Amino acid sequence: MRATLFMIPLIALAACQDDGGDGDSPDLATNDACGASGWHSLIGEHLDILAVTIFRAPMRVIGPNDAVTMDYNPQRLNVIYGDDDIITRVECG
């Protein structure tokens, strides 16, 4: 019984442990409302691949110098690319 009482605070502390995220974006492992995990194969591809790919709406493509709204829409797929036009991230938002 005493060991059980000792373990309860440890379990509670483990639940509060930082997951290493930046705190600004949702955890995609638990929040994939837009289906981003199904599009991770786009990472590393050239931006031109988007022209022949069909996405469900809403979706946006974000470049390195693009201005975007800061509103978070869990249903929206964001495809982010770098200066070399290579897709670097696919996420909800």
Side-chain angles (χ1 to χ4, degrees):
M1 178 72 174
R2 190 173 204 186
T4 303
L5 292 175
F6 177 75
M7 293 299 291
I8 291 174
L10 292 178
I11 293 170
L13 285 173
C16 297
Q17 185 176 20
D18 185 8
D19 64 352
D22 61 9
D24 294 331
S25 59
D27 181 9
L28 293 180
T30 59
N31 186 3
D32 193 22
C34 71
S37 62
W39 293 104
H40 282 171
S41 62
L42 292 174
I43 297 172
E45 296 288 336
H46 192 274
L47 190 60
D48 290 344
I49 197 167
L50 300 179
V52 295
T53 307
I54 299 172
F55 296 92
R56 66 175 201 163
M59 183 265 214
R60 65 182 173 181
V61 180
I62 305 169
N65 297 312
D66 291 349
V68 294
T69 60
M70 294 301 293
D71 65 312
Y72 178 75
N73 178 351
Q75 300 296 318
R76 179 174 51 213
L77 179 69
N78 292 324
V79 178
I80 297 100
Y81 66 94
D83 288 328
D84 55 0
D85 292 343
I86 301 298
I87 298 169
T88 57
R89 290 191 339 242
V90 179
E91 60 191 26
C92 297

